[in-house]
Amino acid sequence: MDTTTILNDGLLLPAASFKDKGGWFLDSEFILTMGACYLLAHGLGKKVAPARTTVTSVNEGNFHIYVYTYNWVAPWHPEYYPGIFTVSVNGSTGNEVGKEPVAWNWEYAGEYIFRKGINTIMLEDNSGFEGRCAFLYITRQPVSSLPSGKSAIWDFYRREILSKKTVNCIYYDFAVIGGGISGMCAAVVAARRGLKTVLIQDRSMPGGNNSSEIRVWLGGGTNYAPFDGIGNVVGEFEQQRIGHYGSVNTADLYEDDKKKAVLAAEKNLTVLYNHCLVEADTVDTTVNRVRVLDILSDALVEIEAPLFVDATGDGHLGALAGADFEVTTNGHMGVSNLWHIKKTDNPAPFPPCPWAVNLKDVAFPGRKDTVDIYGHSREFSFGCWFWESGMTEDPITDAERSRDMNFRAMYGAWDTVRNVDHDYQDYELAFAAAPAGKRESRRLLGDVVLTKADFKYHFPDACVATTWNFDVHYPDKQFYAAFHEGDAFLTMDCREVFEGPYFLPYRVLYSRNISNLFMAGRDVSVSHDASGTARVMRTGGLMGEVVGYAASLCRKYNCLPRDIYTEHLEEFLELLKSIERKEVAKAGNTVV
């Protein structure tokens, strides 16, 4: 946000647009469920550097500041408040906040003296334990209440800030929402086929789960006959090395800059990083436009296009547009926040975490001689994919809670081994993903809803190879004692192998009731059980490539996604078969 003038009737200041975010993480993951982006003090128990911005006051005087925040452990232990922080103005510090709200709400930070002219405001983390701040409200007069809750806070933000800025409206031939592997592949293919394309990504880097922020390797096979060239673009994003378990899973393995370079090289492709989908306009059965929020400048951008792709994973565009969808709300796969530890030459005490999951009397992977499902023990068992929460929570509305449950499990485990067992004294928490790595949420429904039973049959429009076995996750019964609070956070994989590749039908890649909406990635039209194979990222990338080619035929014939199946299927399949194979090597055993 630019230097801002404080008016006498108050100023709403978004934390996400602070000029200098210091060590705070910009969290955009939950904007559609809690109404805002926010800054997260993701310090792994160490205080993060302050976030700073400046405002200009037309007069000197006293102002009151309120903070939109949340005591994130309140769903389990409202008596504790680990995520505490303070607001300071020109070096003067107010009350600790992050204590009171048991859901996102306002908390009073204190009264401050503002001088005439430029004033420096800082968010100062006091713990390193996931404090969070979405907005500051600065006012001359104390207020008894302010808007809170998803809809109210969004309306407040829109009225106070967004409505005062020009909304840019841009037309594209093809709009891809979601910058993970599936969205990137769809965007690159369409751009190379001559479509003016935009790719919307809500974070500062592409890759989704296969980024240095989340650190999940690519899974699934590519480049299978008769569609030998489908997988070429996935190969351009292929990482050269993997190290999924423990401290070898480093940020550099994910080659974020290489992904950005591939995207930047496409002359027909515009990538809008740090832009969040917030609204969609649908007339009859057609998405006319979407609005995305430029997080860093607090401005809305309207995107118009004849064709859209939902590659959000969560099916957010489909839901906003009115697409039919399914959600398995209990018994679905959960989310993981991978974490690991490493040896250090300067070991430091780790503070007790009474608000975390109490694991002092139970076994868990990595503790003493307890082994994980692979037979691994000690530090290589911490923070792997099977540290997974949220299987019994709504994967959309409770996503933040599930992510936070992963944090509580991690901190509880580390507290136990350090302060109860007095083990790992020369180790420290080295990394934990701040965004959740998701597996299953909304599944948008197409003309075919593919189930596991359908893998016996060959569809006439089969075109996307899947090789990953049926791999779904459930709470691991050997660790039930650790789930005494009711939330499971350790899982096992239930696998059923099929002889692959199996080719998914094109009809799972477009909406059955929103006429110009494609899907690619884990939100395509499959059942819960079939998602066990369709959800992995290389397979999602193949979907994206196929959708990009389909979009080029849609433009050629001025038609809609369904028409490719009903009127142009033979030409479409021949196009896919004609692509020259350029497969690259895959790191590790990551195909099935």
Side-chain angles (χ1 to χ4, degrees):
M1 172 176 257
D2 296 332
T3 299
T4 307
T5 300
I6 295 177
L7 303 177
N8 289 332
D9 57 353
L11 173 73
L12 183 65
L13 190 62
S17 54
F18 268 41
K19 293 177 181 177
D20 176 4
K21 295 174 178 58
W24 294 68
F25 175 78
L26 174 53
D27 198 326
S28 58
E29 192 169 13
F30 310 109
I31 186 171
L32 291 177
T33 53
M34 57 77 60
C37 301
Y38 59 85
L39 294 186
L40 178 72
H42 185 56
L44 307 182
K46 298 178 181 179
K47 297 178 183 179
V48 305
R52 292 179 171 84
T53 198
T54 58
V55 298
T56 298
S57 178
V58 294
N59 294 299
E60 181 177 320
N62 289 10
F63 288 83
H64 300 270
I65 296 182
Y66 299 82
V67 175
Y68 198 63
T69 185
Y70 171 36
N71 175 14
W72 66 278
V73 303
W76 301 275
H77 290 291
E79 70 274 20
Y80 295 110
Y81 32 84
I84 50 176
F85 62 98
T86 53
V87 177
S88 71
V89 177
N90 301 324
S92 178
T93 300
N95 307 322
E96 279 191 332
V97 291
K99 295 181 177 181
E100 296 177 5
V102 298
W104 278 98
N105 212 328
W106 295 95
E107 189 172 5
Y108 184 59
E111 186 175 6
Y112 300 81
I113 298 174
F114 279 70
R115 55 186 175 228
K116 184 177 180 179
I118 295 176
N119 297 264
T120 299
I121 298 178
M122 294 199 303
L123 299 180
E124 299 186 83
D125 175 34
N126 291 349
S127 71
F129 284 121
E130 317 304 334
R132 53 203 69 185
C133 177
F135 295 103
L136 283 69
Y137 186 68
I138 307 169
T139 175
R140 284 192 180 275
Q141 301 299 323
V143 294
S144 58
S145 65
L146 288 165
S148 64
K150 180 188 75 170
S151 298
I153 196 66
W154 172 254
D155 290 345
F156 189 35
Y157 176 39
R158 187 162 195 161
R159 181 175 68 251
E160 294 294 317
I161 297 177
L162 302 181
S163 65
K164 300 174 183 177
K165 298 193 174 185
T166 300
V167 178
N168 292 323
C169 185
I170 311 173
Y171 180 88
Y172 293 91
D173 299 321
F174 190 57
V176 183
I177 314 300
I181 296 296
S182 59
M184 292 192 300
C185 289
V188 167
V189 169
R192 290 176 182 174
R193 299 281 293 177
L195 279 69
K196 182 183 177 184
T197 302
V198 64
L199 176 64
I200 306 297
Q201 171 65 335
D202 60 1
R203 303 210 299 274
S204 61
M205 63 181 67
N209 284 350
N210 186 242
S211 70
S212 63
E213 290 180 330
I214 301 180
R215 304 190 188 180
V216 179
W217 61 33
L218 299 177
T222 66
N223 299 90
Y224 290 100
F227 307 106
D228 301 74
I230 300 300
N232 290 348
V233 179
V234 177
E236 295 181 45
F237 298 115
E238 194 75 41
Q239 62 194 89
Q240 300 303 304
R241 298 172 294 127
I242 61 172
H244 204 45
Y245 301 108
S247 58
V248 296
N249 191 9
T250 52
D252 60 292
L253 298 181
Y254 295 88
E255 303 181 57
D256 299 322
D257 288 342
K258 181 177 79 172
K259 294 184 178 77
K260 283 189 172 182
V262 171
L263 298 174
E266 296 304 323
K267 64 180 182 179
N268 290 324
L269 176 60
T270 298
V271 184
L272 297 181
Y273 295 107
N274 289 309
H275 282 65
C276 292
L277 172 72
V278 290
E279 295 171 346
D281 292 344
T282 303
V283 176
D284 296 326
T285 65
T286 302
V287 183
N288 282 355
R289 68 181 62 85
V290 298
R291 274 173 288 280
V292 296
L293 171 67
D294 181 342
I295 306 169
L296 303 184
S297 66
D298 295 299
L300 290 174
V301 179
E302 285 191 347
I303 306 294
E304 293 186 354
L307 298 168
F308 288 86
V309 185
D310 189 325
T312 64
D314 284 329
H316 285 317
L317 174 55
L320 290 172
D324 293 340
F325 65 85
E326 289 181 344
V327 178
T328 301
T329 55
N330 190 344
H332 57 85
M333 288 177 281
V335 303
S336 293
N337 291 77
L338 301 184
W339 57 278
H340 64 253
I341 64 174
K342 69 175 182 181
K343 277 193 173 183
T344 175
D345 294 330
N346 300 296
F350 186 75
C353 303
W355 40 267
V357 182
N358 183 349
L359 298 176
K360 66 179 181 179
D361 297 324
V362 299
F364 54 85
R367 187 180 191 186
K368 297 181 179 178
D369 296 325
T370 303
V371 298
D372 63 26
I373 61 175
Y374 299 121
H376 299 153
S377 61
R378 304 298 290 170
E379 62 265 31
F380 293 105
S381 296
F382 288 129
C384 300
W385 65 261
F386 45 80
W387 290 74
E388 176 182 357
S389 296
M391 287 75 69
T392 58
E393 311 299 325
D394 188 296
I396 301 295
T397 60
D398 295 328
E400 186 179 16
R401 173 196 165 105
S402 298
R403 189 277 308 270
D404 291 345
M405 182 63 195
N406 282 336
F407 289 163
R408 292 184 63 245
M410 173 185 69
Y411 288 128
W414 195 233
D415 180 16
T416 297
V417 298
R418 288 294 305 274
N419 299 321
V420 177
D421 298 347
H422 302 289
D423 198 356
Y424 296 98
Q425 295 302 298
D426 55 348
Y427 284 78
E428 65 179 2
L429 285 174
F431 166 79
K438 297 179 179 179
R439 292 178 176 85
E440 182 182 0
S441 47
R442 289 190 189 95
R443 302 183 299 276
L444 305 177
L445 302 182
D447 282 344
V448 170
V449 181
L450 193 75
T451 71
K452 186 167 69 171
D454 292 324
F455 279 60
K456 300 175 183 177
Y457 307 106
H458 174 80
F459 287 87
D461 52 334
C463 57
V464 176
T466 183
T467 60
W468 199 258
N469 45 39
F470 295 113
D471 173 13
V472 293
H473 301 175
Y474 298 102
D476 191 338
K477 62 183 179 182
Q478 70 172 313
F479 298 114
Y480 273 11
F483 310 153
H484 55 88
E485 292 184 351
D487 293 271
F489 58 88
L490 292 165
T491 63
M492 59 184 296
D493 52 338
C494 300
R495 294 177 181 251
E496 182 179 335
V497 178
F498 65 88
E499 185 176 350
Y502 178 81
F503 290 90
L504 309 177
Y506 167 72
R507 283 170 290 170
V508 305
L509 302 180
Y510 62 85
S511 169
R512 70 187 186 188
N513 70 307
I514 301 298
S515 62
N516 63 337
L517 179 63
F518 286 106
M519 300 91 75
R522 62 183 177 84
D523 60 7
V524 299
S525 182
V526 297
S527 65
H528 162 71
D529 53 5
S531 72
T533 179
R535 65 183 172 84
V536 295
M537 284 183 279
R538 285 200 196 100
T539 305
L542 302 187
M543 298 176 194
E545 291 185 34
V546 167
V547 162
Y549 286 110
S552 70
L553 288 186
C554 286
R555 188 179 71 158
K556 176 181 178 180
Y557 291 109
N558 191 28
C559 69
L560 295 168
R562 177 179 284 115
D563 300 327
I564 300 300
Y565 175 74
T566 59
E567 300 177 24
H568 307 288
L569 182 59
E570 183 177 355
E571 180 180 352
F572 177 53
L573 295 179
E574 287 303 314
L575 170 61
L576 299 183
K577 292 174 184 177
S578 70
I579 303 162
E580 181 184 357
R581 181 189 185 111
K582 298 178 181 178
E583 186 178 11
V584 300
K586 298 170 177 60
N589 183 19
T590 60
V591 173
V592 295

